[in-house]
Amino acid sequence: MKSALITSVLVAVIALVIVSTQTQERQVSLVVIHGTVVTMDPAARVIADGAVAIDGAEIVAVDASAAIQREFRGATTIDATGQVVLPGLINTHTHAPMVLFRGLADDLALMEWLTKYIFPAEAKTVSPEFVRAGTRLAALEMIQSGTTTYTDMYYFEEEIAKETRAAGLRGVLGQTVIQFPVADAKTPADALVRAEAFLKAFKDDPLITPAVAPHAMYTLDGATLLAARSLAMRYGVPTLIHLAETQEEVKTAQERYQSTPVGYLDRLGFLGAGVLAAHGVWVSESEIAVLRQRAVGVSHNPESNMKLASGTAPVPAYLSAGVALGLGTDGAASNNDLDMFEAMRTASLLHKLQSGDPRAVGARTVLEMATIGGARALGMSDRLGSLETGKRADVIVVGMDSARQTPVYDPLSHLVYTTRGDDVRTTIVNGKVLMRDRKMLTLNEATVLSESRAWGDRIRALFAN
Ligand SMILES: [Zn+2]
């Protein structure tokens, strides 16, 4: 009798404890649970059975699954058992609509490639309809391969922004300013007017960071370069530019200005925080120090540099100088895809070979470049690039159970040396699930592919005779 009483009291106490802990659970929009969580946070935490709690657009907790389960209940729960949970990848340099020129012309010298194929194709096709279709295809490819933020330099950037927003991706999108007449501007002055209208229209967008993209030092005069830079500074937005990509560019800087590309831009007063320089292949040690001093971010594009035989960027020197270094694919016409996993692997292998040191640019280093490094290069590391409380919920879930990935000793090694974009299962941007278990939720995959093939037919016809 007495023991029965004790038992019933005990049951009541246990029930009370359960009820009280349940009522302490905080309701949140999304929980990703039971994955290997690679945080890329300052402590380099990797949580074996980890979870991420997301509420709205924000990460509210990153911890062991058991701790997250005690504290949070998700309106939606994604089980990531056997998978890796990672900050979304940040592509720091591309020209998204150029996916429609993918494979149009390969294996050519840079100038022949540009003047015989890319420029003529652009002159005949680039329009609001073209960039919208190209952006949808690029967005599909990026979501499917784990990119959550991309940096773009192209024309009709407001159309690119609308499609990017509709796809749910995050974009740092630069309206191009270039000296010669292009599809969306007859003069650089027109381009600057367009750029300012674009900045005004998208200034407060949660997904789109509008930017100004003066093309390069060799395609613009000094006055226009400075006008583009000061426009970006006036609005507090990034300035995107190609810099020191080829030896040809160095030669041009020497002939026109008796300087180097970096030396010339520095003399002009162009370099400073908020500038993101793509490529940075042909730079000296002292110029790397200048870029560091001026707080310029650099985007490394190993596949484009290799395919166009531009040269090898001095990545180990950038890293040891402390330059904010991100990774990019460049446009798909010179890559020929937007897969950031492939870009990571290529970067690592290239710099091992180039330096003769297999320890150079290891898995963690290159993963940093594709995540928090890219966020730093963009000046957005307070919001993006790692799984930390208070940051935007840009998260990917990557499958780790293919034959190619078996067995797993070190998830970081696998992410860089064996994983492909196709292994990404789920992509989340700003707390919204864009792809779940390979199923696209914001884009109609079949429609995007068929309209892209139709564009391919039109472009092929341009070169038929
Ligand atoms: Zn480029």
Side-chain angles (χ1 to χ4, degrees):
M1 191 64 200
K2 197 177 174 190
S3 75
L5 183 67
I6 290 170
T7 307
S8 58
V9 167
L10 259 176
V11 166
V13 167
I14 289 166
L16 245 173
V17 167
I18 289 170
V19 166
S20 68
T21 48
Q22 272 177 350
T23 52
Q24 278 169 9
E25 274 181 5
R26 177 177 159 195
Q27 175 83 32
V28 293
S29 53
L30 178 62
V31 172
V32 182
I33 198 156
H34 297 313
T36 301
V37 178
V38 176
T39 62
M40 303 309 290
D41 70 5
R45 274 197 306 163
V46 176
I47 309 166
D49 178 0
V52 180
I54 293 164
D55 201 29
E58 202 174 283
I59 294 172
V60 291
V62 182
D63 208 335
S65 291
I68 295 288
Q69 267 173 321
R70 268 197 306 275
E71 275 186 66
F72 300 96
R73 187 161 10 96
T76 303
T77 299
I78 294 177
D79 187 335
T81 302
Q83 303 172 71
V84 169
V85 182
L86 188 71
L89 304 180
I90 298 176
N91 187 343
T92 50
H93 182 64
T94 194
H95 314 281
M98 291 186 85
V99 287
L100 292 175
F101 299 136
R102 187 197 321 264
L104 172 68
D106 299 309
D107 313 325
L108 295 169
L110 176 65
M111 277 306 144
E112 191 185 4
W113 177 73
L114 274 177
T115 57
K116 281 197 182 158
Y117 292 92
I118 299 304
F119 288 157
E122 285 187 332
K124 287 176 188 160
T125 55
V126 174
S127 63
E129 298 72 37
F130 172 89
V131 304
R132 279 203 295 267
T135 303
R136 284 193 288 270
L137 179 62
L140 177 64
E141 186 184 353
M142 288 190 278
I143 294 168
Q144 287 182 335
S145 56
T147 291
T148 54
T149 296
Y150 80 104
T151 310
D152 197 66
M153 299 171 70
Y154 213 59
Y155 310 104
F156 298 107
E157 207 67 41
E158 72 285 354
E159 304 296 338
I160 294 174
K162 286 178 208 160
E163 290 297 337
T164 301
R165 191 162 60 184
L169 270 181
R170 197 180 296 286
V172 179
L173 308 178
Q175 171 63 37
T176 292
V177 181
I178 199 161
Q179 209 75 34
F180 50 82
V182 286
D184 66 351
K186 287 199 178 70
T187 65
D190 286 353
L192 286 165
V193 170
R194 275 197 85 88
E196 183 158 13
F198 173 57
L199 300 187
K200 279 184 183 156
F202 287 89
K203 209 165 66 73
D204 300 312
D205 195 278
L207 287 175
I208 307 301
T209 300
V212 186
H215 177 268
M217 59 72 56
Y218 61 95
T219 49
L220 285 163
D221 62 30
T224 311
L225 281 166
L226 283 182
R229 177 77 182 121
S230 66
L231 173 63
M233 287 173 76
R234 211 156 61 240
Y235 282 83
V237 299
T239 307
L240 314 175
I241 189 166
H242 293 98
L243 179 62
E245 180 177 1
T246 63
Q247 279 180 300
E248 191 67 28
E249 180 178 337
V250 176
K251 214 174 116 201
T252 303
Q254 194 56 48
E255 284 166 4
R256 284 193 208 159
Y257 308 112
Q258 295 73 52
S259 187
T260 60
V262 173
Y264 166 68
L265 286 183
D266 196 38
R267 195 171 74 199
L268 206 57
F270 183 94
L271 300 179
V275 173
L276 178 68
H279 302 300
V281 172
W282 297 97
V283 293
S284 65
E285 285 278 344
S286 62
E287 287 173 328
I288 290 173
V290 168
L291 293 172
R292 170 76 181 88
Q293 206 175 17
R294 303 278 182 258
V296 170
V298 173
S299 170
H300 175 44
N301 295 262
E303 292 174 89
S304 169
N305 295 160
M306 291 168 79
K307 190 156 185 286
L308 297 173
S310 305
T312 309
V315 162
Y318 278 123
L319 291 168
S320 60
V323 170
L325 190 65
L327 195 60
T329 57
D330 207 348
S334 61
N335 185 301
N336 290 357
D337 60 45
L338 305 177
D339 184 345
M340 285 288 288
F341 284 94
E342 192 179 277
M344 283 197 280
R345 178 157 57 254
T346 306
S348 180
L349 300 185
L350 170 62
H351 298 292
K352 292 178 193 309
L353 180 67
Q354 175 79 9
S355 64
D357 182 356
R359 296 167 300 182
V361 189
R364 176 164 283 281
T365 301
V366 81
L367 201 53
E368 272 175 18
M369 284 165 59
T371 55
I372 189 69
R376 273 189 213 115
L378 288 167
M380 298 170 89
S381 57
D382 59 331
R383 282 155 282 169
L384 306 178
S386 59
L387 301 180
E388 290 180 78
T389 302
K391 285 201 175 183
R392 298 283 81 79
D394 293 5
V395 183
I396 59 174
V397 183
V398 183
M400 246 332 123
D401 54 6
S402 67
R404 189 165 23 80
Q405 295 164 309
T406 304
V408 182
Y409 300 110
D410 174 1
L412 267 70
S413 165
H414 271 20
L415 286 169
V416 172
Y417 299 120
T418 76
T419 299
R420 299 176 186 159
D422 291 353
D423 296 314
V424 174
R425 306 294 309 167
T426 295
T427 300
I428 300 161
V429 176
N430 215 36
K432 183 175 175 183
V433 184
L434 309 186
M435 177 176 77
R436 183 165 179 179
D437 256 329
R438 297 303 289 174
K439 187 180 165 14
M440 292 298 308
L441 302 176
T442 53
L443 287 164
N444 183 321
E445 185 171 358
T447 307
V448 172
L449 294 179
S450 69
E451 72 179 6
S452 302
R453 289 188 190 106
W455 271 102
D457 292 340
R458 290 165 71 173
I459 294 162
R460 187 181 297 109
L462 292 175
F463 291 94
N465 37 22

